[in-house]
Coordinates of all heavy atoms in Angstrom, one line a residue:
M11 N -28.1 42.6 -5.6 CA -27.1 43.1 -4.5 C -27.8 43.0 -3.1 O -29.1 43.2 -3.0 CB -26.6 44.5 -4.8 CG -25.6 45.1 -3.9 SD -24.2 44.1 -4.0 CE -23.3 44.7 -2.5
L12 N -27.1 42.6 -2.1 CA -27.7 42.4 -0.8 C -27.8 43.8 -0.1 O -26.9 44.6 -0.2 CB -26.9 41.5 0.1 CG -26.9 40.0 -0.3 CD1 -25.9 39.3 0.4 CD2 -28.2 39.4 -0.2
S13 N -28.9 44.0 0.6 CA -29.0 45.2 1.3 C -28.5 45.1 2.7 O -28.0 43.9 3.1 CB -30.5 45.6 1.5 OG -31.1 44.7 2.3
I14 N -28.2 46.1 3.5 CA -27.6 46.0 4.8 C -28.5 45.2 5.7 O -27.8 44.3 6.5 CB -27.5 47.5 5.3 CG1 -26.5 48.3 4.6 CG2 -27.1 47.4 6.8 CD1 -25.1 47.9 4.7
R15 N -29.7 45.3 5.5 CA -30.6 44.4 6.4 C -30.4 43.0 6.1 O -30.3 42.2 7.1 CB -32.1 44.9 6.2 CG -33.1 44.1 6.9 CD -34.4 44.5 6.6 NE -35.0 45.0 7.9 CZ -36.0 45.8 8.0 NH1 -36.7 46.2 6.9 NH2 -36.5 46.3 9.1
E16 N -30.4 42.6 4.9 CA -30.1 41.1 4.4 C -28.8 40.7 5.0 O -28.6 39.6 5.4 CB -30.3 41.1 3.0 CG -31.7 41.1 2.4 CD -31.7 41.1 1.0 OE1 -30.9 41.7 0.3 OE2 -32.7 40.7 0.4
L17 N -27.8 41.5 4.9 CA -26.4 41.1 5.4 C -26.5 40.9 6.9 O -25.9 39.9 7.4 CB -25.4 42.3 5.1 CG -24.8 42.2 3.7 CD1 -23.9 43.4 3.4 CD2 -24.1 41.0 3.4
L18 N -27.3 41.7 7.6 CA -27.4 41.7 9.1 C -28.0 40.4 9.4 O -27.6 39.7 10.2 CB -28.2 42.8 9.6 CG -27.7 43.4 10.8 CD1 -26.3 44.1 10.7 CD2 -28.6 44.5 11.4
V19 N -29.1 40.0 8.7 CA -29.9 38.7 8.9 C -29.0 37.6 8.7 O -28.9 36.6 9.4 CB -31.2 38.7 8.1 CG1 -31.7 37.3 8.1 CG2 -32.2 39.8 8.5
L20 N -28.2 37.6 7.6 CA -27.2 36.6 7.3 C -26.2 36.4 8.4 O -25.9 35.3 8.7 CB -26.6 36.9 5.9 CG -25.8 35.8 5.2 CD1 -26.8 34.6 4.8 CD2 -25.1 36.3 4.0
A21 N -25.7 37.6 8.8 CA -24.7 37.4 9.9 C -25.2 36.8 11.2 O -24.6 36.0 11.9 CB -24.2 38.9 10.2
V22 N -26.5 37.2 11.5 CA -27.2 36.5 12.6 C -27.3 35.1 12.5 O -27.1 34.3 13.4 CB -28.5 37.3 13.0 CG1 -29.4 36.5 13.9 CG2 -28.3 38.6 13.5
I23 N -27.8 34.7 11.3 CA -28.0 33.3 11.0 C -26.6 32.5 11.2 O -26.6 31.5 11.8 CB -28.6 33.0 9.7 CG1 -30.0 33.5 9.6 CG2 -28.5 31.6 9.2 CD1 -30.6 33.6 8.2
I24 N -25.5 33.1 10.6 CA -24.2 32.4 10.7 C -23.8 32.3 12.1 O -23.3 31.4 12.6 CB -23.2 33.2 9.8 CG1 -23.5 33.0 8.4 CG2 -21.8 32.8 10.1 CD1 -22.7 33.9 7.5
F25 N -24.1 33.4 12.9 CA -23.6 33.4 14.3 C -24.5 32.4 15.1 O -23.9 31.6 15.9 CB -23.9 34.8 15.0 CG -23.7 34.8 16.4 CD1 -22.3 34.8 16.9 CD2 -24.7 34.7 17.3 CE1 -22.2 34.8 18.3 CE2 -24.5 34.7 18.7 CZ -23.2 34.7 19.2
V26 N -25.7 32.2 14.9 CA -26.6 31.2 15.6 C -26.1 29.9 15.2 O -26.0 29.0 16.1 CB -28.1 31.5 15.2 CG1 -28.9 30.2 15.6 CG2 -28.6 32.7 15.8
V27 N -25.8 29.5 13.9 CA -25.4 28.2 13.5 C -24.0 27.9 14.2 O -23.8 26.8 14.8 CB -25.2 28.1 12.1 CG1 -24.5 26.9 11.6 CG2 -26.6 28.1 11.4
W28 N -23.1 28.9 14.2 CA -21.8 28.7 14.8 C -21.9 28.5 16.3 O -21.2 27.5 16.9 CB -20.9 29.9 14.5 CG -19.6 30.0 15.3 CD1 -18.5 29.3 15.0 CD2 -19.4 30.8 16.4 NE1 -17.5 29.6 15.9 CE2 -18.0 30.5 16.7 CE3 -20.1 31.7 17.2 CZ2 -17.4 31.1 17.9 CZ3 -19.5 32.2 18.3 CH2 -18.1 31.9 18.6
Y29 N -22.7 29.2 17.0 CA -22.9 29.1 18.4 C -23.5 27.8 18.7 O -23.2 27.2 19.7 CB -23.8 30.3 18.9 CG -23.7 30.4 20.5 CD1 -22.6 31.0 21.2 CD2 -24.7 29.9 21.3 CE1 -22.5 31.1 22.5 CE2 -24.7 30.0 22.7 CZ -23.5 30.5 23.2 OH -23.5 30.6 24.6
G30 N -24.6 27.4 18.0 CA -25.2 26.0 18.2 C -24.2 24.9 18.0 O -24.2 24.0 18.8
Y31 N -23.3 25.1 17.1 CA -22.3 24.0 16.9 C -21.4 24.0 18.1 O -21.0 22.9 18.5 CB -21.5 24.3 15.5 CG -20.3 23.3 15.5 CD1 -20.6 22.0 15.0 CD2 -19.1 23.7 15.7 CE1 -19.6 21.1 14.9 CE2 -18.0 22.8 15.7 CZ -18.3 21.5 15.2 OH -17.3 20.6 15.1
R32 N -20.9 25.2 18.6 CA -20.1 25.2 19.8 C -20.7 24.5 20.9 O -20.1 23.8 21.7 CB -19.8 26.6 20.1 CG -18.4 27.1 19.5 CD -18.1 28.4 20.1 NE -18.3 28.5 21.6 CZ -17.9 29.5 22.4 NH1 -17.3 30.5 21.8 NH2 -18.2 29.4 23.7
V33 N -22.0 24.8 21.2 CA -22.8 24.2 22.3 C -22.8 22.7 22.1 O -22.6 21.9 23.0 CB -24.1 24.8 22.5 CG1 -25.0 24.0 23.4 CG2 -24.0 26.3 22.9
Y34 N -23.1 22.3 20.9 CA -23.2 20.8 20.6 C -21.9 20.1 20.8 O -21.8 19.1 21.5 CB -23.7 20.6 19.1 CG -23.6 19.1 18.7 CD1 -24.6 18.2 19.0 CD2 -22.6 18.8 17.9 CE1 -24.4 16.9 18.7 CE2 -22.4 17.5 17.5 CZ -23.3 16.5 18.0 OH -23.2 15.2 17.6
A35 N -20.8 20.7 20.3 CA -19.4 20.2 20.5 C -19.1 20.1 22.0 O -18.5 19.1 22.4 CB -18.4 21.0 19.8
R36 N -19.4 21.0 22.8 CA -19.2 21.0 24.2 C -19.9 19.8 24.8 O -19.4 19.0 25.6 CB -19.5 22.3 24.8 CG -18.9 22.4 26.2 CD -19.2 23.7 27.0 NE -19.0 24.9 26.1 CZ -19.7 26.0 26.2 NH1 -20.8 26.0 27.0 NH2 -19.5 26.9 25.3
I37 N -21.2 19.7 24.6 CA -22.1 18.6 25.1 C -21.5 17.3 24.6 O -21.3 16.3 25.5 CB -23.5 18.8 24.6 CG1 -24.1 20.0 25.3 CG2 -24.3 17.5 25.0 CD1 -25.5 20.3 24.7
D38 N -21.1 17.1 23.4 CA -20.6 15.9 22.8 C -19.3 15.5 23.5 O -19.0 14.3 23.8 CB -20.4 16.1 21.3 CG -20.3 14.6 20.7 OD1 -21.1 13.8 20.9 OD2 -19.3 14.4 19.9
S39 N -18.4 16.5 23.7 CA -17.1 16.1 24.3 C -17.2 15.7 25.8 O -16.6 14.9 26.3 CB -16.1 17.3 24.2 OG -16.2 18.2 25.3
A40 N -18.2 16.4 26.5 CA -18.5 16.0 27.9 C -19.1 14.6 28.0 O -18.7 13.8 28.8 CB -19.6 17.0 28.5
R41 N -19.9 14.3 27.0 CA -20.4 12.9 26.9 C -19.4 11.9 26.6 O -19.3 10.8 27.3 CB -21.5 12.8 25.8 CG -22.4 11.6 26.0 CD -23.4 11.5 24.8 NE -24.3 12.6 24.7 CZ -24.5 13.2 23.4 NH1 -24.0 12.7 22.4 NH2 -25.3 14.2 23.4
T42 N -18.4 12.2 25.7 CA -17.4 11.3 25.3 C -16.5 11.1 26.6 O -16.0 10.0 26.9 CB -16.6 11.8 24.2 OG1 -17.4 12.1 23.2 CG2 -15.4 10.9 23.8
R43 N -16.2 12.2 27.4 CA -15.3 12.1 28.5 C -16.0 11.3 29.5 O -15.3 10.4 30.3 CB -15.0 13.5 29.1 CG -13.7 13.6 29.8 CD -13.3 15.0 30.2 NE -13.6 16.1 29.3 CZ -14.5 17.1 29.4 NH1 -15.1 17.2 30.5 NH2 -14.6 18.0 28.5
R44 N -17.3 11.5 29.7 CA -18.0 10.6 30.8 C -17.9 9.2 30.4 O -17.8 8.3 31.3 CB -19.5 11.2 30.9 CG -20.0 11.1 32.3 CD -21.3 11.6 32.4 NE -21.4 12.9 31.9 CZ -22.4 13.3 31.0 NH1 -23.3 12.5 30.6 NH2 -22.4 14.6 30.6
A45 N -18.1 8.9 29.1 CA -18.1 7.4 28.8 C -16.7 6.9 28.9 O -16.6 5.7 29.4 CB -18.5 7.3 27.3
A46 N -15.6 7.6 28.6 CA -14.3 7.1 28.9 C -14.0 6.9 30.3 O -13.4 5.9 30.7 CB -13.3 8.1 28.2
D47 N -14.5 7.9 31.2 CA -14.3 7.7 32.6 C -15.0 6.5 33.1 O -14.4 5.7 33.9 CB -15.0 8.9 33.3 CG -14.0 10.1 33.5 OD1 -12.9 9.9 32.9 OD2 -14.4 11.1 34.0
Q48 N -16.1 6.2 32.6 CA -16.9 5.0 33.1 C -16.3 3.8 32.6 O -16.2 2.8 33.4 CB -18.3 5.1 32.4 CG -19.4 4.4 33.3 CD -20.8 5.0 33.0 OE1 -21.0 5.6 31.9 NE2 -21.6 4.9 34.0
A49 N -15.7 3.8 31.3 CA -15.0 2.6 30.9 C -13.8 2.3 31.7 O -13.4 1.1 32.0 CB -14.6 2.8 29.4
R50 N -13.1 3.4 32.1 CA -11.8 3.2 32.9 C -12.3 2.7 34.2 O -11.6 1.8 34.8 CB -11.1 4.5 33.0 CG -9.7 4.4 33.5 CD -8.9 5.6 33.4 NE -9.2 6.6 32.3 CZ -9.9 7.8 32.6 NH1 -10.0 8.2 33.8 NH2 -10.2 8.6 31.7
R51 N -13.3 3.2 34.8 CA -13.7 2.7 36.2 C -14.2 1.3 36.2 O -13.8 0.6 37.1 CB -14.8 3.7 36.7 CG -14.7 4.1 38.1 CD -15.8 5.1 38.6 NE -15.7 6.3 37.7 CZ -16.7 7.0 37.3 NH1 -17.9 6.5 37.3 NH2 -16.5 8.1 36.6
S52 N -14.9 1.0 35.1 CA -15.4 -0.4 35.2 C -14.2 -1.4 34.8 O -14.2 -2.5 35.2 CB -16.4 -0.6 34.1 OG -16.0 -0.5 32.9
A53 N -13.1 -0.9 34.1 CA -11.9 -1.8 33.8 C -11.1 -1.9 35.1 O -10.5 -3.0 35.3 CB -11.0 -1.1 32.8
N54 N -11.2 -0.9 36.1 CA -10.4 -1.1 37.3 C -11.1 -1.9 38.3 O -10.5 -2.3 39.3 CB -10.2 0.3 37.9 CG -9.1 1.1 37.1 OD1 -8.4 0.6 36.3 ND2 -9.1 2.4 37.3
K55 N -12.4 -2.0 38.1 CA -13.3 -2.7 39.1 C -12.8 -4.2 39.1 O -12.4 -4.8 38.2 CB -14.7 -2.7 38.7 CG -15.6 -2.6 39.9 CD -17.1 -2.3 39.5 CE -17.6 -3.1 38.3 NZ -18.9 -2.6 38.0
K56 N -12.9 -4.8 40.3 CA -12.5 -6.2 40.6 C -13.5 -7.0 39.8 O -14.6 -6.8 39.7 CB -12.6 -6.6 42.0 CG -11.5 -6.1 42.9 CD -11.6 -6.8 44.3 CE -10.6 -6.1 45.2 NZ -10.8 -6.5 46.6
P57 N -12.9 -8.2 39.2 CA -13.9 -9.0 38.4 C -14.9 -9.6 39.4 O -14.6 -10.0 40.6 CB -13.0 -10.1 37.8 CG -11.8 -10.1 38.7 CD -11.6 -8.7 39.2
E58 N -16.1 -9.8 38.9 CA -17.2 -10.5 39.8 C -16.8 -12.0 40.0 O -16.3 -12.6 39.2 CB -18.5 -10.2 39.2 CG -19.0 -8.9 39.3 CD -20.3 -8.6 38.5 OE1 -21.1 -9.7 38.4 OE2 -20.5 -7.5 38.1
L59 N -17.1 -12.4 41.2 CA -16.9 -13.9 41.5 C -18.1 -14.6 41.0 O -19.3 -14.2 41.1 CB -16.8 -14.0 43.0 CG -15.5 -13.5 43.6 CD1 -15.6 -13.7 45.1 CD2 -14.3 -14.3 43.1
D60 N -17.8 -15.7 40.3 CA -18.8 -16.6 39.9 C -19.0 -17.7 41.1 O -18.1 -18.4 41.4 CB -18.4 -17.4 38.7 CG -18.7 -16.6 37.5 OD1 -19.5 -15.6 37.5 OD2 -17.9 -16.7 36.5
L61 N -20.2 -17.7 41.6 CA -20.4 -18.6 42.8 C -21.0 -19.8 42.2 O -21.8 -19.9 41.3 CB -21.3 -17.9 43.8 CG -20.8 -16.7 44.5 CD1 -21.9 -16.2 45.4 CD2 -19.5 -17.0 45.2
V62 N -20.5 -21.0 42.7 CA -21.1 -22.2 42.4 C -21.6 -22.9 43.6 O -21.1 -22.7 44.7 CB -20.1 -23.2 41.7 CG1 -19.6 -22.6 40.3 CG2 -18.8 -23.4 42.5
R63 N -22.7 -23.8 43.4 CA -23.3 -24.4 44.5 C -22.6 -25.7 44.8 O -22.3 -26.5 43.9 CB -24.8 -24.7 44.1 CG -25.6 -25.1 45.3 CD -27.1 -25.0 45.0 NE -27.9 -24.8 46.2 CZ -28.4 -25.9 46.6 NH1 -28.4 -27.1 46.1 NH2 -29.3 -25.9 47.7
C64 N -22.2 -25.9 46.0 CA -21.5 -27.1 46.5 C -22.6 -28.2 46.4 O -23.6 -28.1 47.0 CB -20.9 -26.9 47.9 SG -20.4 -28.5 48.6
P65 N -22.2 -29.4 45.7 CA -23.2 -30.5 45.6 C -23.4 -31.2 46.9 O -24.4 -31.8 47.2 CB -22.5 -31.3 44.7 CG -21.2 -30.9 44.5 CD -21.0 -29.6 45.0
Q66 N -22.5 -31.1 47.8 CA -22.6 -31.8 49.2 C -23.4 -31.0 50.2 O -24.4 -31.6 50.7 CB -21.2 -32.1 49.8 CG -20.5 -33.4 49.4 CD -19.7 -33.1 48.1 OE1 -18.9 -32.2 48.0 NE2 -20.0 -34.0 47.0
C67 N -23.1 -29.7 50.4 CA -23.8 -29.0 51.5 C -24.6 -27.9 50.9 O -25.5 -27.4 51.6 CB -22.8 -28.4 52.4 SG -21.8 -27.1 51.7
G68 N -24.7 -27.6 49.6 CA -25.5 -26.7 49.1 C -25.1 -25.2 49.3 O -25.8 -24.3 48.8
A69 N -23.9 -25.0 49.9 CA -23.5 -23.6 50.0 C -22.9 -23.0 48.7 O -22.5 -23.8 47.9 CB -22.3 -23.6 51.1
Y70 N -23.2 -21.7 48.5 CA -22.6 -21.1 47.4 C -21.2 -20.6 47.6 O -20.8 -19.8 48.5 CB -23.4 -19.8 46.9 CG -24.7 -20.4 46.4 CD1 -25.9 -20.6 47.1 CD2 -24.8 -20.7 45.0 CE1 -27.0 -21.0 46.6 CE2 -25.9 -21.2 44.4 CZ -27.1 -21.4 45.2 OH -28.2 -21.8 44.6
I71 N -20.2 -21.1 46.8 CA -18.8 -20.9 47.1 C -18.1 -20.4 45.8 O -18.7 -20.6 44.7 CB -18.1 -22.2 47.5 CG1 -18.5 -23.3 46.6 CG2 -18.6 -22.5 49.0 CD1 -17.9 -24.6 46.9
S72 N -17.1 -19.6 46.0 CA -16.3 -19.0 44.9 C -15.2 -20.0 44.4 O -15.0 -20.1 43.2 CB -15.7 -17.8 45.3 OG -14.8 -18.0 46.3
D73 N -14.7 -20.8 45.2 CA -13.6 -21.7 44.8 C -13.8 -23.1 45.4 O -13.6 -23.3 46.7 CB -12.3 -21.2 45.2 CG -11.2 -22.0 44.5 OD1 -11.4 -23.1 44.0 OD2 -10.0 -21.6 44.7
P74 N -14.2 -24.1 44.7 CA -14.6 -25.4 45.4 C -13.2 -26.1 45.9 O -13.4 -27.0 46.8 CB -15.0 -26.3 44.2 CG -15.4 -25.3 43.1 CD -14.5 -24.0 43.3
N75 N -12.0 -25.7 45.4 CA -10.9 -26.3 45.9 C -10.5 -25.9 47.3 O -9.8 -26.6 48.0 CB -9.7 -26.0 45.0 CG -10.0 -26.5 43.6 OD1 -10.5 -27.6 43.4 ND2 -9.6 -25.7 42.6
I76 N -11.0 -24.7 47.8 CA -10.7 -24.3 49.2 C -11.9 -24.4 50.1 O -11.8 -23.9 51.2 CB -10.0 -22.9 49.1 CG1 -11.0 -21.8 48.6 CG2 -8.7 -22.8 48.4 CD1 -10.7 -20.4 48.8
H77 N -12.9 -25.0 49.6 CA -14.1 -25.0 50.4 C -14.1 -26.2 51.3 O -13.7 -27.3 51.0 CB -15.4 -25.2 49.4 CG -16.6 -25.4 50.1 ND1 -17.2 -24.6 51.0 CD2 -17.5 -26.5 50.1 CE1 -18.3 -25.1 51.4 NE2 -18.4 -26.3 50.9
V78 N -14.5 -26.0 52.6 CA -14.6 -27.1 53.5 C -16.2 -27.1 53.9 O -16.8 -26.2 54.3 CB -13.8 -26.9 54.7 CG1 -13.9 -28.0 55.8 CG2 -12.4 -26.7 54.4
C79 N -16.6 -28.4 53.6 CA -18.1 -28.5 53.9 C -18.5 -28.4 55.3 O -17.7 -29.0 56.2 CB -18.6 -29.9 53.4 SG -19.0 -29.8 51.6
D80 N -19.6 -27.7 55.6 CA -20.0 -27.6 56.9 C -21.1 -28.7 57.0 O -22.0 -28.8 56.3 CB -20.8 -26.2 57.1 CG -21.3 -26.0 58.4 OD1 -21.2 -26.9 59.2 OD2 -21.8 -24.9 58.7
P81 N -20.9 -29.6 58.1 CA -21.8 -30.8 58.1 C -23.3 -30.4 58.4 O -24.2 -31.1 58.1 CB -21.3 -31.6 59.3 CG -20.3 -30.7 60.0 CD -19.9 -29.7 59.0
D82 N -23.4 -29.2 58.9 CA -24.9 -28.8 59.3 C -25.5 -28.1 57.9 O -26.7 -27.8 58.0 CB -24.9 -27.8 60.4 CG -24.4 -28.4 61.6 OD1 -24.6 -29.6 61.8 OD2 -23.8 -27.7 62.5
G83 N -24.6 -27.8 56.9 CA -25.1 -27.2 55.8 C -25.2 -25.7 55.9 O -25.0 -25.2 57.0
P84 N -25.5 -25.0 54.9 CA -25.6 -23.5 54.9 C -26.8 -23.1 55.7 O -27.8 -23.8 55.8 CB -25.7 -23.1 53.5 CG -26.3 -24.3 52.8 CD -25.9 -25.5 53.6
A85 N -26.8 -21.9 56.3 CA -27.9 -21.4 57.0 C -29.0 -21.1 56.0 O -28.7 -20.5 54.9 CB -27.5 -20.1 57.7
R86 N -30.2 -21.5 56.2 CA -31.3 -21.3 55.2 C -32.3 -20.3 55.8 O -32.6 -20.2 57.0 CB -32.0 -22.6 54.8 CG -31.1 -23.4 54.0 CD -31.8 -24.7 53.7 NE -30.8 -25.7 53.4 CZ -30.4 -26.1 52.1 NH1 -30.8 -25.4 51.1 NH2 -29.5 -27.0 51.9
Ligands
ZN114 ZN1 -19.8 -27.9 50.8

């Protein structure tokens, strides 16, 4: 049979485990929320432009179809 002291120790152990789980769950949900925020933010971000080098003048351009070559070339 358990004594009062053993029951008290058991109650403290159960409380500590329960409290630790609560703290862990809070940290984990905050981390999940932060990751979801970051994913949403990066999804809303404009796509990065791929720059290509113009073979004629050497300028880095995003769209070769709208590029007009500068006869002096890009500033170096
Ligand atoms: Zn060019």
Side-chain angles (χ1 to χ4, degrees):
M11 186 65 195
L12 292 173
S13 69
I14 294 293
R15 176 177 250 165
E16 286 170 331
L17 278 174
L18 223 62
V19 168
L20 194 65
V22 166
I23 289 171
I24 288 171
F25 174 78
V26 166
V27 169
W28 170 78
Y29 193 78
Y31 175 75
R32 263 190 43 175
V33 169
Y34 170 78
R36 194 180 312 147
I37 290 170
D38 196 50
S39 86
R41 194 185 305 136
T42 305
R43 205 175 318 119
R44 212 175 311 128
D47 275 359
Q48 208 153 27
R50 198 171 332 111
R51 225 174 295 133
S52 65
N54 288 343
K55 212 165 55 179
K56 282 185 187 173
E58 290 177 22
L59 288 175
D60 282 332
L61 297 181
V62 291
R63 194 164 198 264
C64 172
Q66 272 87 50
C67 69
Y70 286 93
I71 51 180
S72 59
D73 188 351
N75 299 320
I76 59 169
H77 170 65
V78 177
C79 275
D80 182 356
D82 298 331
R86 286 176 206 266

